[in-house]
Amino acid sequence: MKMVNLTIDGKKIKARPGEKLLWAALDNGIYIPNLCAIKDKPEPNAACRLCWVEIEGNKEPVTACTIEVADGMVVNIRGQNALALARAGFELLMASHALDCAHCSANGVCELQKIAKTLKCSLKPRRLRLLLRDLSVDDSNPLFTLDPNKCVLCGRCVWECRKSKEKAVLGFAHRGFDRVLTTFGDEPIEERCMNCSTCVEVCPTGALAFKEGKKSADIA
Amino acid sequence: MKATERSTIATAFQEISKRAVAHVRELKQNKPYILVGAATCGRAAGALDVLKTFREEIKKRNLDCPVIEVGCMGHCYAEPIVIIGKPGYPPVCYGYVNPVIAERLVNEFILGENPCPEFVIGALEANDILPSFQDFPRAKYEQKIILKNCGHIDPTDIEQYIAAGGYTGLAKAIDMPPEAIINEIKKSGLRGRGGAGFPAGRKWQYGRDAKGTTKYIICNADEGDPGAFVDRAILESDPHSVIEGLIIAGYAVGARYGYIYVRAEYPLAVERVGIALKQSKKLKLSGSNILGSNFNFDIRIFQGSGAFVCGEATAMANSIEGKAGTPRPRPPRMTTSGLFGKPTVVNNVKTLAYVPQIIKNGASWFIKTGTKDSPGTAVFALAGKIVNTGMVEVPMGTTLRQIIFDVGSGIPNKKLFKAVQIGGPSGGCLPEASLDLPVDFDSLQNAGAIMGSGGMVICDEDDCMVEIARYFLEFTQRESCGKCTFCRLGTRQMLEILTDFTQGKGKLEDIDNLEKLAEEVKAGSLCGLGQTAPNPILTTLRYFRNEYEEHIKLGKCPALMCQHLIAYYILPDKCERSCDACIGSCTVEAITPNKKRIKVIDQEKCVKCGTCLKACPPQYNAIVKLSPPSEVPK
């Protein structure tokens, strides 16, 4: 297969034709902030709106997850306009995220912390007001808890959970600001969960977290 | 296509057309007839009772006079509307008809020779007896292309549509090579009437060029903007024009199936489109082997469940597929991978309604109307503070002033014009200074609004621009699907700030914050809903910034609309001692008389419902609204 040559931040890389720019960058060790990207999903979610990049010849920044690589493409992931949009999106997310790193099991491995570091911005929103929803935590499962207040609605867990029909426990409900990660009829996760706990492994934040002393190996 | 087939198409259609003309002649010629406008607007005003009365009266007297249920003529302000045709008279249009008037019209005009000029709005043709529509100022500007049949034909009778020239375009089209149709549409410069104004011919070309054998056409009838009702009126009044356009689009693009995505909240439209589809199939104008050709095209109705976002093409495709109505990222274009992953062309109701006439009359006919870059007409739904609410169709390039003051007859109650909100929640508010703007796709876009769905809401001096922006934001944030960050959280953040403004809790730096956030949501959102949601804010900030500042700096709502920033006050020198109207009207007993029997409002108790202001008799007019509330004398 003929590979496509492109340049990201001065680094020359090769990518398979038809591949999305985000994955070409990530596979070559170039980190672009992202939350909703799922490699084996045929269509990108394009929901988190964080992977903004600037492409030479384009006036406006674009999301790297929706753009296919092209030969000779020159990409700048630190452009001012791209950074401004990424930061704006991130601050919006953080303004509705129950921030409590010190008591969060994801502390240290949380992707929100990683993104804040990359974008050089604070975890606490400075400009926007806090809009928290105070949703109830589901701790019915013996292995893990679901705290929707920490959820960024990236959809990774939903994708994993719905890969097989027998599982399909998690999903999104409601719309607009009320959109929430939940189960059918808001029943406790434990009702149908097969305890594969893949959802916990893919969660970028502490929204789905193992209970103390549990880990994926504990699957019965 | 072979010559033999060509002649069979023409012959087949000639047969149908001949029968239709004979049917309509039988129906209307040499006898009186009554048309009752019974679209949703008419029905809301009581058209069904009027219709019933006419039918009963005609039956009682055993008259040969058909009573025909038609759609909306566009004069929604005067519903229920009735047109009576009688040999020897021009067809006459009556407004504000009720069952009593209906009975009189039968007695005096159908039976007698008195056309009852007191109920006439206008005759349809110029004449010596009655005032006609040609005498109206709006006649100078109005030019009807897609509203031509609305209110004049029975939408449930395909033959009336055919007799009015309908399906001629289709018969002509399937005698043409598909490429020639696309070229004709391209030449006509027809732009999508759904909002953005994308050239329809180019979209069809993309669809035709797309790889794949299965292709779809979707008619977008998911009209959900507050203040827009043109699509509904067309579907209810002239459904065949849309169906004909859809079939031509299918033939041109090479699609086998078409969908009409219509909101379930439009039950009458759903019903009438359903009837129209059955009739067109029966006459072999849709379905298999259309007019004896080898072209097959089937149309299905899909009822949307009322999500505004499903008007966005990719969300609409998801919705038809049975998924949640959330948008998909583009690229790929819908014309590459749309419904069920197949090439799909999505056209608005109005766009499709133009198609048959462009094919029938030719592109050169179409470009005679309108402006160079936006040919044809613009259809607007006039609503809000305007005398003639209803639908208007004027050539592109007509100015806003002409539309509002000449066609719409201006602002009622001698109030002053303040702004016009065009394009619904995705559009913007334009001030008086923009009134001389010739309306077309590009001029509106430059001014910060969009053509959008054609909703035009007129605001007068009593409308607060901050509140208008808040109202539309409340709508978009509620209708956001919640998939992407900017729209889900950004619209909510903006709504919070706007709500603070209207409640007198805003800070000056919030204006800059709001403006920045609005630009970010516009740039960052996934689909058109989020990308255009900030438009009402951005335009009101651009044209009415001082109003925002007054809200914040002075705690004052200049339009006296924001409840938190006003107080009701009874002027002591105007209040009449012997009148107690306001006391009785007050829902919370906040009004009491003082020693001189002058009424006083207890501001602590007052809930600002405004009932007292309406109750105070006009000869006293003693109650006023004051802003800020501190204006109330102690």
Side-chain angles (χ1 to χ4, degrees), chain A residues 45 47-49 127 129 176 179, chain B residues 480 482 485 493 500 513 520 524:
Chain A
N45 275 330
C48 72
R49 319 302 288 168
R127 180 171 57 110
R129 48 189 83 185
R179 187 164 160 103
Chain B
S480 161
T485 305
Q493 290 275 354
D500 276 3
N513 246 340
E520 286 163 356

Side-chain angles (χ1 to χ4, degrees), chain B residues 80-129:
Chain B
I81 288 212
V82 169
I83 296 175
I84 297 183
K86 189 178 170 177
Y89 292 90
V92 191
C93 177
Y94 298 91
Y96 311 100
V97 180
N98 58 33
V100 181
I101 299 177
E103 202 183 324
R104 259 189 75 181
L105 286 171
V106 173
N107 278 331
E108 300 188 14
F109 190 30
I110 304 284
L111 283 171
E113 292 298 328
N114 173 17
C116 300
E118 60 270 39
F119 307 125
V120 169
I121 306 185
L124 301 187
E125 296 154 12
N127 64 90
D128 300 335
I129 327 165

Side-chain angles (χ1 to χ4, degrees), chain B residues 35-205:
Chain B
L35 310 180
V36 180
T40 299
C41 45
R43 289 184 176 201
L48 289 182
D49 289 336
V50 173
L51 189 71
K52 202 172 133 210
T53 311
F54 272 122
R55 287 200 170 133
E56 282 169 3
E57 294 297 316
I58 296 291
K59 202 175 166 198
K60 227 187 318 186
R61 291 171 174 77
N62 215 1
L63 297 170
D64 182 18
C65 169
V67 180
I68 303 166
E69 190 180 335
V70 296
C72 170
M73 256 187 89
H75 297 266
C76 301
Y77 60 96
E79 295 285 1
I81 288 212
V82 169
I83 296 175
I84 297 183
K86 189 178 170 177
Y89 292 90
V92 191
C93 177
Y94 298 91
Y96 311 100
V97 180
N98 58 33
V100 181
I101 299 177
E103 202 183 324
R104 259 189 75 181
L105 286 171
V106 173
N107 278 331
E108 300 188 14
F109 190 30
I110 304 284
L111 283 171
E113 292 298 328
N114 173 17
C116 300
E118 60 270 39
F119 307 125
V120 169
I121 306 185
L124 301 187
E125 296 154 12
N127 64 90
D128 300 335
I129 327 165
L130 294 163
S132 76
F133 279 114
Q134 276 76 9
D135 305 330
F136 281 42
R138 64 189 288 173
K140 197 173 139 200
Y141 303 100
E142 271 190 310
Q143 186 179 341
K144 291 192 173 180
I145 295 179
I146 55 172
L147 299 184
K148 182 176 65 108
N149 285 335
C150 295
H152 297 284
I153 62 165
D154 181 350
T156 60
D157 182 358
I158 189 169
E159 300 204 303
Q160 293 191 29
Y161 176 69
I162 296 173
Y167 285 106
T168 319
L170 175 68
K172 191 175 166 189
I174 47 177
D175 250 354
M176 289 161 73
E179 287 291 349
I181 297 174
I182 294 179
N183 279 337
E184 197 67 17
I185 297 295
K186 274 188 191 161
K187 255 195 279 174
S188 76
L190 176 67
R191 294 175 70 171
R193 259 51 176 184
F198 190 81
R202 215 190 310 161
K203 197 187 260 183
W204 288 14
Q205 186 74 61

Side-chain angles (χ1 to χ4, degrees), chain B residues 10-59:
Chain B
T11 330
F13 184 68
Q14 246 169 23
E15 277 300 306
I16 295 172
S17 181
K18 218 188 287 170
R19 267 204 309 271
V21 172
H23 164 77
V24 173
R25 195 178 298 148
E26 164 79 29
L27 194 67
K28 285 184 180 171
Q29 212 175 39
N30 296 327
K31 60 180 159 188
Y33 61 87
I34 301 168
L35 310 180
V36 180
T40 299
C41 45
R43 289 184 176 201
L48 289 182
D49 289 336
V50 173
L51 189 71
K52 202 172 133 210
T53 311
F54 272 122
R55 287 200 170 133
E56 282 169 3
E57 294 297 316
I58 296 291
K59 202 175 166 198

